[in-house]
Amino acid sequence: MAHWTSAVGAAQLARLLGSQQDRPGGPGTRRPPAYRALADGIRLLVLEGRVPVAARLPAERELALALSVSRTTVAAAYETLRTEGFLESRRGAGSWTAVPAGNPLPARGLEPLPPETLGSLIDLGCAALPAPEPWLTRAVTGALEDLPPYAHTHGDYPAGLPALRAMIAERYTARGIPTMPEQIMVTTGAMGAIDAICHLFAGRGERIAVESPSYANILQLMREAGARLVPVAMAEGLSGWDLDRWRQVLREAAPRLAYVVADFHNPTGALADEDQRRRLVDAARAAGTVLVADETMSELWFEEELGRNMPRPMCGFDPAGSTVITVGSASKAFWAGMRIGWVRAAPDVIRSLVSARAYADMGTPVLEQLAVHWLFSSGGWEQAVALRRAQARENRDALIGALRRELPDWEYEVPSGGLTLWVRAGGLSGSRLAEVGERVGVRVPSGPRFGVDGAFEGYLRLPFTVGGAVADEAAARLAAAARLVESGVSGVNGSGEAPGAFVA
């Protein structure tokens, strides 16, 4: 009986390993032997979740040919991984990846840390802020007051509460996009919305065009759904979307769906202007591609002038409603614990999504819908989001100030909104920084999580979730991790510790 549940081909593993590039070593820098470097690279891929646990690795001879190294090098690397607990083997069954006893399974997305770890580890993995009080408490209190009439019903509203659907439609209309309640479906967060859209439009094996980089959790959701991801490179810095590349990909690959974050893009923070939005919608329409516009960050602008002059939503350039499906959410702008999202689309698309939902989650919790309705109808939403903007802006400034002091050679462009900073880590491997960083007390997601098939190894995503002294300490720990990586420390020795690492 096989002990592995999936397999990684030699060419695929070689490509993933080839994405791991470190800064060239200076005088005195320790260079590990070839077998050790190979073992470290495979271990990092397992820890990152880019090679699954229980995945069968290529035979030694196959991998040696793919990497142009000796079979002895591969054999020694595999033996090292077996010794460390990252590989198991059985005669006749091959070798497959594992994690040592006591190690957590690698996360494929960006899950928040459990509360009990927060005292010893600064979490820069999850781009989410605490609730903007007193508005959460007021919203829940208002929802409880509005609950009794709904308690006398069955409580199942697959399309969402009619009152909330109408309120969301009114908000789009107020933004200059005439919308009926029949064009709205309330979902369990934006992830629930995109999951439903992918299952309706993009079955297993269908192509989905995605920005490169893009939001890691959405990329993983699409992979799990069996989609074939087609990356479209973002332009450098905050200029965002390369429309020539988009037109080419949409024309040649003919993807069923395209997923974009035009408002303070996650992870780069870029903001698409109106011309880019118009041209992207036109290109999708011409290719017959459904364009999914994620606007969960659209209200997180930092300057009043920008807030008064935000570009029109993507759906504003699709008056017939045949090309753009819009996804919104309360989770980023208000609180991640408020799992309320929504879809705006043509009525026939909404009906199809609602029908398909009967086989998924049936509907979204009534009490949370009532809380969001209270926020929208009372004016509490605007005041709560204003608090969120101020907090995120303050954290952004604190983080950037700390990075400039501790890591002046790291490169980034300062976004005008959103929750994330996309950082080129001075030529270092993002995967190695993430691994060593966790051992010195700071958790960061490496760039490859936001790419397709190993891209962005030299990057990290840093969220605007800490400020003040915590931002200073986070940057200091990142600098300590960078020094260890530069010195050639792999992050793990025989005891599972990073040599010289301090875990707070």
Side-chain angles (χ1 to χ4, degrees):
M1 179 177 177
H3 292 251
W4 44 272
T5 57
S6 62
V8 181
Q12 180 187 7
L13 184 55
R15 188 165 58 251
L16 290 169
L17 289 165
S19 72
Q20 297 174 337
Q21 298 296 327
D22 284 334
R23 173 185 293 173
T29 298
R30 290 179 289 161
R31 283 294 184 185
Y35 81 89
R36 179 74 254 185
L38 176 56
D40 287 348
I42 294 173
R43 176 174 44 75
L44 278 170
L45 292 173
V46 174
L47 291 172
E48 279 271 297
R50 289 192 282 151
V51 169
V53 175
R56 187 179 186 274
L57 294 186
E60 293 172 2
R61 187 183 303 276
E62 293 175 3
L63 186 57
L65 286 172
L67 294 174
S68 298
V69 299
S70 71
R71 183 176 176 180
T72 302
T73 296
V74 177
Y78 278 14
E79 181 58 33
T80 299
L81 290 168
R82 277 190 286 270
T83 301
E84 294 177 348
F86 285 93
L87 196 69
E88 296 181 11
S89 303
R90 183 173 181 177
R91 185 178 297 276
S95 299
W96 57 93
T97 56
V99 291
N103 278 39
L105 288 175
R108 300 301 298 273
L110 303 175
E111 294 82 359
L113 287 171
E116 61 268 19
T117 66
L118 296 180
S120 60
L121 197 60
I122 299 174
D123 185 10
L124 296 181
C126 185
L129 290 163
E133 289 287 29
W135 298 105
L136 175 62
T137 299
R138 292 179 182 177
V140 173
T141 301
L144 288 171
E145 294 174 354
D146 294 338
L147 181 62
Y150 296 92
H152 294 291
T153 73
H154 49 65
D156 287 334
Y157 297 89
L161 294 183
L164 181 56
R165 295 175 72 196
M167 182 63 68
I168 294 171
E170 288 177 14
R171 291 174 64 84
Y172 277 106
T173 301
R175 294 167 69 188
I177 315 297
T179 304
M180 304 178 294
E182 292 78 11
Q183 292 176 261
I184 302 296
M185 181 177 83
V186 180
T187 63
T188 307
M191 291 286 287
I194 294 169
D195 182 57
I197 293 166
C198 287
H199 280 89
L200 180 63
F201 285 93
R204 187 164 294 274
E206 292 275 8
R207 294 184 181 92
I208 301 179
V210 294
E211 297 146 330
S212 183
S214 187
Y215 179 34
N217 287 343
I218 293 296
L219 294 180
Q220 189 58 32
L221 181 155
M222 291 173 175
R223 292 187 187 104
E224 297 289 344
R228 297 164 61 190
L229 301 184
V230 182
V232 186
M234 297 283 286
E236 285 295 319
L238 298 179
S239 56
W241 291 259
D242 186 326
L243 272 301
D244 290 336
R245 288 177 180 169
W246 270 101
R247 276 193 297 268
Q248 180 181 1
V249 168
L250 294 176
R251 182 176 62 250
E252 296 178 358
R256 186 71 181 91
L257 285 179
Y259 170 75
V260 297
V261 186
D263 299 288
F264 309 118
H265 175 259
N266 187 351
T268 69
L271 176 66
D273 60 33
E274 290 208 357
D275 183 60
Q276 289 173 318
R277 296 172 190 233
R278 178 185 298 104
R279 292 166 62 195
L280 185 52
V281 172
D282 289 346
R285 184 184 298 113
T289 297
V290 175
L291 186 62
V292 181
D294 182 337
E295 59 173 32
T296 53
M297 300 277 193
S298 64
E299 296 189 64
L300 291 178
W301 40 264
F302 292 158
E303 304 301 333
E304 290 295 332
E305 180 65 23
L306 177 58
R308 288 191 294 268
N309 295 283
M310 281 288 290
R312 277 188 292 166
M314 299 282 281
C315 56
F317 302 97
D318 180 37
S322 59
T323 299
V324 177
I325 297 178
T326 302
V327 172
S329 172
S331 298
K332 292 296 186 185
F334 184 75
W335 183 47
M338 188 67 77
R339 305 305 306 164
I340 298 295
W342 52 86
V343 178
R344 181 200 180 275
D348 61 317
V349 172
I350 294 298
R351 287 193 294 270
S352 296
L353 289 170
V354 171
S355 296
R357 191 175 194 178
Y359 306 101
D361 65 354
M362 295 295 292
T364 303
V366 169
L367 190 63
E368 291 187 26
Q369 292 188 71
L370 289 173
V372 173
H373 181 268
W374 183 91
L375 286 166
F376 285 159
S377 60
S378 68
W381 176 267
E382 284 70 23
Q383 296 183 66
V385 174
L387 289 176
R388 172 66 77 243
R389 292 187 196 112
Q391 185 179 13
R393 180 175 60 245
E394 181 178 333
N395 288 352
R396 177 200 65 178
D397 295 344
L399 178 63
I400 288 169
L403 289 175
R404 285 173 176 164
R405 289 191 299 274
E406 299 285 347
L407 294 154
D409 59 333
W410 285 18
E411 301 171 53
Y412 45 83
E413 291 200 33
V414 181
S416 55
L419 289 172
T420 57
L421 187 70
W422 186 237
V423 178
R424 192 193 302 267
L428 299 178
S429 161
S431 296
R432 296 180 189 278
L433 283 167
E435 182 195 11
V436 177
E438 193 149 342
R439 297 177 184 279
V440 300
V442 59
R443 181 189 188 230
V444 292
S446 66
R449 292 199 175 194
F450 303 88
V452 176
D453 206 12
F456 307 111
E457 180 58 44
Y459 288 81
L460 297 172
R461 189 198 74 170
L462 304 180
F464 308 141
T465 52
V466 297
V470 180
D472 292 338
E473 180 62 20
R477 295 183 187 187
L478 282 173
R483 288 192 292 272
L484 287 171
V485 172
E486 283 185 306
S487 70
V489 172
S490 67
V492 172
N493 59 24
S495 66
E497 299 290 343
F502 172 74
V503 180

